[in-house]
Amino acid sequence: SQTIHQWPATLVQPVGSPLSLECTVEGTSNPNLYWYRQAAGRGLQLLFYSVGIGQISSEVPQNLSASRPQDRQFILSSKKLLLSDSGFYLCAWSVPGGNTEAFFGQGTRLTVV
Amino acid sequence: GENVEQHPSTLSVQEGDSAVIKCTYSDSASNYFPWYKQELGKGPQLIIDIRSNVGEKKDQRIAVTLNKTAKHFSLHITETQPEDSAVYFCAASLSSNTGKLIFGQGTTLQVKP
């Protein structure tokens, strides 16, 4: 069966520090991968998606970047965090080539102080 | 691009009553409409979905209806129970390759015992 791992679960970082959140998927090949952000009391905003290794599409201009160094690994990064980067970050995957269910990780609660 | 509006933002019902959450979408090319339930501190999980070639779908106490002409779809929960309390998100997808989901703002459902 397929599983998605996302870590860490919580993170407190000072303003100006770097960020690296990692997500890995098991049990499937060539998944579509996504990073979403959920601000307090808000919906899920799509930040990045990837349909293959090294292929990253950005949905919104921001202080973050994403990379996909391996087929089932998706990394969210920042060189210098801003207060506004605080939020709940969710990684997700779906089967490629069709409109199907997206499976979400458990999320990372990031607080920038 | 696609935009999804969800109402209401909060909904409080008595146990045993029905709950209805409504969403509208902007892009008539959207063809996949999932509903997710998110419990506190966790990632969203799919509870039901519908495709544009179907008008209604039911799974036990949960049903979804789709009106393509009006570009809106709704989630119906009957005989609500306290464990139905959570945040519910609708989403729409129009890409068959990337599988991107555009989410509504979410509805916080409280079922009072």
Side-chain angles (χ1 to χ4, degrees):
Chain A
S1 63
Q2 302 90 357
T3 56
I4 179 169
H5 302 280
Q6 185 181 344
W7 68 93
T10 60
L11 190 60
V12 180
Q13 292 284 98
V15 169
S17 65
L19 172 74
S20 180
L21 301 181
E22 189 163 343
C23 172
T24 59
V25 180
E26 296 178 356
T28 187
S29 297
N30 196 32
N32 288 340
L33 296 172
Y34 313 91
W35 278 111
Y36 285 87
R37 176 168 58 201
Q38 185 175 16
R42 302 284 295 278
L44 297 161
Q45 181 185 37
L46 179 62
L47 303 177
F48 301 96
Y49 68 92
S50 171
V51 299
I53 296 175
Q55 300 179 59
I56 309 294
S57 296
S58 174
E59 287 292 291
V60 293
Q62 59 198 295
N63 183 42
L64 302 168
S65 62
S67 61
R68 184 172 178 173
Q70 299 181 47
D71 181 42
R72 291 168 290 175
Q73 184 185 27
F74 207 23
I75 298 172
L76 184 69
S77 304
S78 173
K79 293 182 179 179
K80 290 185 178 181
L81 284 168
L82 306 172
L83 286 173
S84 57
D85 291 325
S86 293
F88 192 50
Y89 289 84
L90 289 155
C91 180
W93 73 273
S94 70
V95 174
N99 286 335
T100 60
E101 175 181 4
F103 299 88
F104 284 84
Q106 291 300 296
T108 296
R109 173 74 58 193
L110 172 65
T111 304
V112 183
V113 296
Chain B
E2 174 66 285
N3 184 52
V4 178
E5 297 287 335
Q6 182 173 346
H7 300 281
S9 58
T10 60
L11 180 59
S12 181
V13 300
Q14 208 64 39
E15 181 178 0
D17 289 350
S18 296
V20 180
I21 303 171
K22 299 181 179 181
C23 289
T24 59
Y25 60 98
S26 60
D27 195 323
S28 57
S30 290
N31 54 12
Y32 176 63
F33 307 92
W35 285 89
Y36 284 82
K37 176 182 180 181
Q38 185 180 29
E39 297 180 344
L40 193 62
K42 296 184 177 181
Q45 285 196 305
L46 181 78
I47 54 172
I48 195 168
D49 56 10
I50 192 168
R51 300 183 187 280
S52 58
N53 58 346
V54 175
E56 183 173 1
K57 185 177 178 181
K58 190 173 182 180
D59 183 4
Q60 299 182 359
R61 298 187 294 109
I62 295 173
V64 57
T65 58
L66 171 65
N67 183 326
K68 289 188 295 183
T69 303
K71 292 189 286 188
H72 67 69
F73 56 112
S74 300
L75 177 71
H76 305 253
I77 306 175
T78 58
E79 300 172 22
T80 54
Q81 302 167 2
E83 50 265 38
D84 293 330
S85 298
V87 180
Y88 291 81
F89 291 97
C90 64
S93 175
L94 53 78
S95 170
S96 62
N97 181 37
T98 68
K100 291 191 302 180
L101 291 174
I102 305 302
F103 283 84
Q105 297 87 342
T107 296
T108 301
L109 173 64
Q110 182 187 27
V111 180
K112 294 183 281 188

mmCIF file of all heavy atoms in Angstrom, chain A residues 15 22-23 29 35 42 47-48 56 59 66 68 70-72 74 76-77 90 93 100 103 113:
data_model
loop_
_atom_site.group_PDB
_atom_site.id
_atom_site.type_symbol
_atom_site.label_atom_id
_atom_site.label_comp_id
_atom_site.label_asym_id
_atom_site.label_seq_id
_atom_site.Cartn_x
_atom_site.Cartn_y
_atom_site.Cartn_z
ATOM 1 N N VAL A 15 13.065 34.277 12.415
ATOM 2 C CA VAL A 15 13.061 35.041 11.168
ATOM 3 C C VAL A 15 14.475 35.078 10.588
ATOM 4 O O VAL A 15 15.443 35.272 11.312
ATOM 5 C CB VAL A 15 12.547 36.475 11.420
ATOM 6 C CG1 VAL A 15 12.786 37.345 10.198
ATOM 7 C CG2 VAL A 15 11.066 36.456 11.759
ATOM 8 N N GLU A 22 10.686 17.982 4.381
ATOM 9 C CA GLU A 22 10.827 16.853 3.472
ATOM 10 C C GLU A 22 9.570 15.983 3.455
ATOM 11 O O GLU A 22 8.896 15.808 4.461
ATOM 12 C CB GLU A 22 12.038 16.013 3.867
ATOM 13 C CG GLU A 22 12.387 14.943 2.853
ATOM 14 C CD GLU A 22 13.793 14.405 3.027
ATOM 15 O OE1 GLU A 22 14.602 15.059 3.713
ATOM 16 O OE2 GLU A 22 14.060 13.318 2.472
ATOM 17 N N CYS A 23 9.309 15.450 2.275
ATOM 18 C CA CYS A 23 8.150 14.593 2.071
ATOM 19 C C CYS A 23 8.580 13.425 1.197
ATOM 20 O O CYS A 23 9.246 13.628 0.173
ATOM 21 C CB CYS A 23 7.038 15.403 1.400
ATOM 22 S SG CYS A 23 5.611 14.454 0.866
ATOM 23 N N SER A 29 4.969 4.727 -8.063
ATOM 24 C CA SER A 29 6.017 5.268 -8.916
ATOM 25 C C SER A 29 5.509 6.485 -9.672
ATOM 26 O O SER A 29 4.339 6.545 -10.051
ATOM 27 C CB SER A 29 6.477 4.207 -9.921
ATOM 28 O OG SER A 29 7.053 3.112 -9.257
ATOM 29 N N TRP A 35 2.824 20.657 -2.743
ATOM 30 C CA TRP A 35 2.955 21.334 -1.455
ATOM 31 C C TRP A 35 1.812 22.347 -1.340
ATOM 32 O O TRP A 35 1.625 23.174 -2.229
ATOM 33 C CB TRP A 35 4.284 22.072 -1.327
ATOM 34 C CG TRP A 35 5.440 21.212 -0.929
ATOM 35 C CD1 TRP A 35 6.517 20.859 -1.690
ATOM 36 C CD2 TRP A 35 5.668 20.615 0.354
ATOM 37 N NE1 TRP A 35 7.374 20.066 -0.975
ATOM 38 C CE2 TRP A 35 6.886 19.902 0.285
ATOM 39 C CE3 TRP A 35 4.968 20.611 1.565
ATOM 40 C CZ2 TRP A 35 7.417 19.186 1.361
ATOM 41 C CZ3 TRP A 35 5.486 19.896 2.630
ATOM 42 C CH2 TRP A 35 6.700 19.204 2.537
ATOM 43 N N ARG A 42 -7.895 29.311 7.282
ATOM 44 C CA ARG A 42 -8.016 29.527 5.843
ATOM 45 C C ARG A 42 -8.022 28.196 5.106
ATOM 46 O O ARG A 42 -7.795 27.134 5.646
ATOM 47 C CB ARG A 42 -6.825 30.365 5.367
ATOM 48 C CG ARG A 42 -6.693 31.710 6.051
ATOM 49 C CD ARG A 42 -7.705 32.699 5.535
ATOM 50 N NE ARG A 42 -7.496 33.028 4.156
ATOM 51 C CZ ARG A 42 -6.617 33.919 3.719
ATOM 52 N NH1 ARG A 42 -5.844 34.550 4.580
ATOM 53 N NH2 ARG A 42 -6.502 34.160 2.435
ATOM 54 N N LEU A 47 1.006 25.629 -3.407
ATOM 55 C CA LEU A 47 2.255 26.371 -3.563
ATOM 56 C C LEU A 47 3.053 25.863 -4.763
ATOM 57 O O LEU A 47 3.494 26.653 -5.603
ATOM 58 C CB LEU A 47 3.107 26.239 -2.300
ATOM 59 C CG LEU A 47 2.489 26.686 -0.988
ATOM 60 C CD1 LEU A 47 3.458 26.412 0.162
ATOM 61 C CD2 LEU A 47 2.122 28.153 -1.040
ATOM 62 N N PHE A 48 3.277 24.555 -4.807
ATOM 63 C CA PHE A 48 4.076 23.941 -5.870
ATOM 64 C C PHE A 48 3.476 22.589 -6.242
ATOM 65 O O PHE A 48 2.855 21.929 -5.415
ATOM 66 C CB PHE A 48 5.524 23.698 -5.409
ATOM 67 C CG PHE A 48 6.259 24.928 -4.985
ATOM 68 C CD1 PHE A 48 6.318 25.286 -3.653
ATOM 69 C CD2 PHE A 48 6.918 25.712 -5.925
ATOM 70 C CE1 PHE A 48 7.002 26.425 -3.249
ATOM 71 C CE2 PHE A 48 7.609 26.848 -5.534
ATOM 72 C CZ PHE A 48 7.644 27.206 -4.189
ATOM 73 N N ILE A 56 9.296 21.296 -11.526
ATOM 74 C CA ILE A 56 8.603 22.011 -10.462
ATOM 75 C C ILE A 56 7.829 23.167 -11.068
ATOM 76 O O ILE A 56 8.380 23.928 -11.860
ATOM 77 C CB ILE A 56 9.592 22.582 -9.421
ATOM 78 C CG1 ILE A 56 10.551 21.504 -8.925
ATOM 79 C CG2 ILE A 56 8.823 23.243 -8.281
ATOM 80 C CD1 ILE A 56 9.889 20.395 -8.140
ATOM 81 N N GLU A 59 2.905 27.972 -8.090
ATOM 82 C CA GLU A 59 1.566 28.529 -8.271
ATOM 83 C C GLU A 59 1.444 29.971 -7.796
ATOM 84 O O GLU A 59 0.614 30.715 -8.302
ATOM 85 C CB GLU A 59 0.539 27.669 -7.510
ATOM 86 C CG GLU A 59 0.281 26.331 -8.172
ATOM 87 C CD GLU A 59 -0.427 26.488 -9.505
ATOM 88 O OE1 GLU A 59 -1.609 26.877 -9.527
ATOM 89 O OE2 GLU A 59 0.216 26.235 -10.546
ATOM 90 N N ALA A 66 10.816 24.791 -4.133
ATOM 91 C CA ALA A 66 10.616 23.348 -3.996
ATOM 92 C C ALA A 66 11.572 22.623 -4.919
ATOM 93 O O ALA A 66 11.997 23.161 -5.948
ATOM 94 C CB ALA A 66 9.174 22.973 -4.313
ATOM 95 N N ARG A 68 12.601 18.386 -6.340
ATOM 96 C CA ARG A 68 12.251 16.962 -6.401
ATOM 97 C C ARG A 68 13.496 16.212 -6.877
ATOM 98 O O ARG A 68 13.624 15.912 -8.059
ATOM 99 C CB ARG A 68 11.075 16.732 -7.332
ATOM 100 C CG ARG A 68 10.592 15.283 -7.359
ATOM 101 C CD ARG A 68 9.300 15.161 -8.139
ATOM 102 N NE ARG A 68 8.837 13.789 -8.214
ATOM 103 C CZ ARG A 68 7.655 13.433 -8.724
ATOM 104 N NH1 ARG A 68 6.826 14.361 -9.201
ATOM 105 N NH2 ARG A 68 7.313 12.156 -8.780
ATOM 106 N N GLN A 70 14.458 13.179 -6.189
ATOM 107 C CA GLN A 70 14.192 11.774 -6.498
ATOM 108 C C GLN A 70 12.711 11.605 -6.821
ATOM 109 O O GLN A 70 11.898 12.477 -6.492
ATOM 110 C CB GLN A 70 14.575 10.873 -5.311
ATOM 111 C CG GLN A 70 16.044 10.934 -4.940
ATOM 112 C CD GLN A 70 16.370 10.009 -3.781
ATOM 113 O OE1 GLN A 70 15.954 8.846 -3.767
ATOM 114 N NE2 GLN A 70 17.114 10.519 -2.825
ATOM 115 N N ASP A 71 12.365 10.492 -7.418
ATOM 116 C CA ASP A 71 10.995 10.283 -7.902
ATOM 117 C C ASP A 71 9.944 10.491 -6.813
ATOM 118 O O ASP A 71 8.868 11.038 -7.063
ATOM 119 C CB ASP A 71 10.881 8.866 -8.467
ATOM 120 C CG ASP A 71 9.487 8.578 -9.012
ATOM 121 O OD1 ASP A 71 8.930 9.481 -9.675
ATOM 122 O OD2 ASP A 71 8.960 7.485 -8.772
ATOM 123 N N ARG A 72 10.250 10.023 -5.597
ATOM 124 C CA ARG A 72 9.242 10.051 -4.549
ATOM 125 C C ARG A 72 9.639 10.946 -3.383
ATOM 126 O O ARG A 72 9.236 10.721 -2.253
ATOM 127 C CB ARG A 72 8.976 8.612 -4.076
ATOM 128 C CG ARG A 72 8.264 7.776 -5.119
ATOM 129 C CD ARG A 72 8.265 6.305 -4.761
ATOM 130 N NE ARG A 72 9.592 5.726 -4.863
ATOM 131 C CZ ARG A 72 9.880 4.472 -4.510
ATOM 132 N NH1 ARG A 72 8.947 3.691 -4.009
ATOM 133 N NH2 ARG A 72 11.103 4.004 -4.631
ATOM 134 N N PHE A 74 10.002 15.045 -2.176
ATOM 135 C CA PHE A 74 9.630 16.424 -2.489
ATOM 136 C C PHE A 74 10.058 17.287 -1.312
ATOM 137 O O PHE A 74 9.732 16.982 -0.171
ATOM 138 C CB PHE A 74 8.120 16.511 -2.705
ATOM 139 C CG PHE A 74 7.659 17.623 -3.607
ATOM 140 C CD1 PHE A 74 8.498 18.195 -4.543
ATOM 141 C CD2 PHE A 74 6.357 18.096 -3.537
ATOM 142 C CE1 PHE A 74 8.071 19.206 -5.386
ATOM 143 C CE2 PHE A 74 5.909 19.106 -4.381
ATOM 144 C CZ PHE A 74 6.768 19.656 -5.295
ATOM 145 N N LEU A 76 10.524 21.203 0.409
ATOM 146 C CA LEU A 76 10.137 22.618 0.448
ATOM 147 C C LEU A 76 11.210 23.381 1.201
ATOM 148 O O LEU A 76 11.585 22.974 2.307
ATOM 149 C CB LEU A 76 8.781 22.783 1.129
ATOM 150 C CG LEU A 76 8.192 24.188 1.157
ATOM 151 C CD1 LEU A 76 7.785 24.633 -0.246
ATOM 152 C CD2 LEU A 76 6.982 24.242 2.090
ATOM 153 N N SER A 77 11.710 24.465 0.616
ATOM 154 C CA SER A 77 12.849 25.168 1.208
ATOM 155 C C SER A 77 12.647 26.670 1.218
ATOM 156 O O SER A 77 11.832 27.213 0.470
ATOM 157 C CB SER A 77 14.131 24.860 0.413
ATOM 158 O OG SER A 77 14.374 23.486 0.325
ATOM 159 N N LEU A 90 1.362 21.184 4.031
ATOM 160 C CA LEU A 90 0.908 19.838 3.715
ATOM 161 C C LEU A 90 1.502 19.370 2.396
ATOM 162 O O LEU A 90 1.443 20.080 1.396
ATOM 163 C CB LEU A 90 -0.618 19.802 3.623
ATOM 164 C CG LEU A 90 -1.371 19.946 4.943
ATOM 165 C CD1 LEU A 90 -2.762 20.496 4.706
ATOM 166 C CD2 LEU A 90 -1.440 18.603 5.655
ATOM 167 N N TRP A 93 0.194 13.612 -2.633
ATOM 168 C CA TRP A 93 0.528 12.953 -3.889
ATOM 169 C C TRP A 93 -0.744 12.434 -4.548
ATOM 170 O O TRP A 93 -1.767 12.242 -3.895
ATOM 171 C CB TRP A 93 1.522 11.802 -3.674
ATOM 172 C CG TRP A 93 0.925 10.576 -3.031
ATOM 173 C CD1 TRP A 93 0.801 10.336 -1.698
ATOM 174 C CD2 TRP A 93 0.386 9.431 -3.702
ATOM 175 N NE1 TRP A 93 0.211 9.114 -1.484
ATOM 176 C CE2 TRP A 93 -0.047 8.524 -2.695
ATOM 177 C CE3 TRP A 93 0.232 9.075 -5.046
ATOM 178 C CZ2 TRP A 93 -0.627 7.299 -3.005
ATOM 179 C CZ3 TRP A 93 -0.338 7.853 -5.355
ATOM 180 C CH2 TRP A 93 -0.766 6.981 -4.330
ATOM 181 N N THR A 100 -7.748 12.299 -9.901
ATOM 182 C CA THR A 100 -8.021 11.320 -8.860
ATOM 183 C C THR A 100 -7.724 11.912 -7.495
ATOM 184 O O THR A 100 -7.224 13.022 -7.380
ATOM 185 C CB THR A 100 -7.170 10.054 -9.053
ATOM 186 O OG1 THR A 100 -5.785 10.427 -8.992
ATOM 187 C CG2 THR A 100 -7.454 9.379 -10.370
ATOM 188 N N PHE A 103 -3.664 12.303 -1.828
ATOM 189 C CA PHE A 103 -3.432 11.759 -0.492
ATOM 190 C C PHE A 103 -2.479 12.687 0.245
ATOM 191 O O PHE A 103 -1.384 12.973 -0.255
ATOM 192 C CB PHE A 103 -2.825 10.351 -0.591
ATOM 193 C CG PHE A 103 -3.711 9.369 -1.287
ATOM 194 C CD1 PHE A 103 -3.654 9.229 -2.668
ATOM 195 C CD2 PHE A 103 -4.599 8.587 -0.579
ATOM 196 C CE1 PHE A 103 -4.476 8.314 -3.325
ATOM 197 C CE2 PHE A 103 -5.417 7.667 -1.223
ATOM 198 C CZ PHE A 103 -5.359 7.535 -2.593
ATOM 199 N N VAL A 113 9.342 32.920 14.364
ATOM 200 C CA VAL A 113 9.302 33.874 15.485
ATOM 201 C C VAL A 113 10.372 34.949 15.346
ATOM 202 O O VAL A 113 11.328 34.789 14.596
ATOM 203 C CB VAL A 113 9.471 33.125 16.831
ATOM 204 C CG1 VAL A 113 8.306 32.192 17.052
ATOM 205 C CG2 VAL A 113 10.801 32.370 16.865
#
